[in-house]
Amino acid sequence: MKTVGIGLENLCVPCRAHCSYCLLSSCRKASGIDYTRGKELALRLQKEIKALRPDLSFTYYIGYCMDTPDLWDYIRSCQEMRMPSKDFLQFNGLRIRNEQETEALVGQVKAAGIQTIDLTFYGTKHFHDAFAGRPGDYDFLFRILMAARAAGLFVQISIALYQTNREQMDDLLSQLSPYSPKEIRIFLPHTKGRGWNYRDDRITQVDFNRLSSRAKAHFSRLPHFTEQEWLENGEWEIPQKRILTLCPTPQNIDALEKMSLAQIISFLEGMDDHFLAQNLPLPELAGRYGNPENQQLFRMRDLHLLWQQMYLRDHPDIYDMHDESHHFSIHF
């Protein structure tokens, strides 16, 4: 598999929410390293990639959320490094603020050069707050929306669609539309992180057909078919390329800082090659774990992920390179 990019993810900021669906399985604490130390590693890697491996892309970002005094330096650093996210921020999981505090934060973000923020909704108020793991999250997101509109900041809305919230879509869209978000995207969540716990809540074709035309207009344009249809079609999208991401922690940072770029790339590629060698090819995964009667809707990439996760649960000794809470890979 061809490596086309290297990333560095420093999970140095705890998230204030505790969403039932969380890509990183956040537990309200940081697992990364000191912000400055992580930035210095990122600057060094980017410099070496430009000089030694210009064929590779490089990305750098922090998480679990953006609620940190280092935010302004992070924005400035991403701009100077010309990261793809230099004018964009995920704005979920922040400490809940009152109206004045929210306006001040949004104004500072805009002044720092951010043009677009992303907010994630899980449904209408009571459902959303329960899903986000804290009361007041829904109202806070609307305070951000109001402040962003006043400041001229673009907002893109992501809405996770499940069987349990599908009937809330029209009400939620009606509540969002007066704020004129730049984009509203309704998506089917994958099963990474705590998403695994909601694999049985994925919508079916019948559920999708019952959505209003208004809701369908905001649904992803990527190909989605039932598991039955993917299996009957049998034309698998076999990944050919990968992006490998380094995730420094207090336990591994001393060793990582001593490694050259070539050693880091070899380390990540070795982990991913071993992961691929221990896994089954996609057609074999389909034969072992595919459910030819399942009417749930999937992107091929997310169905492949689910089958791999099922295999990994049968083989718990395999290091999961799809788990983005540590060193990981993205195949495409």
Side-chain angles (χ1 to χ4, degrees), residues 29-64:
K29 60 182 180 180
S31 57
I33 60 172
D34 172 75
Y35 166 78
T36 300
R37 197 173 181 183
K39 184 184 76 169
E40 289 173 351
L41 178 59
L43 289 169
R44 194 256 289 185
L45 289 178
Q46 185 190 45
K47 181 179 179 180
E48 293 182 0
I49 285 173
K50 284 184 176 180
L52 303 173
R53 289 293 305 271
D55 56 305
L56 297 178
S57 65
F58 178 72
T59 55
Y60 160 63
Y61 56 93
I62 63 172
Y64 296 89

Side-chain angles (χ1 to χ4, degrees), residues 217-236:
H218 293 284
F219 190 71
S220 171
R221 295 292 184 267
L222 295 171
H224 287 78
F225 298 100
T226 66
E227 183 170 4
Q228 180 188 52
E229 290 171 329
W230 282 116
L231 288 166
E232 289 177 349
N233 182 279
E235 295 182 4
W236 312 119

Side-chain angles (χ1 to χ4, degrees), residues 253-266:
I253 183 57
D254 289 342
L256 293 177
E257 287 176 329
K258 295 174 183 177
M259 295 169 68
S260 67
L261 172 65
Q263 289 173 324
I264 286 175
I265 293 174
S266 177

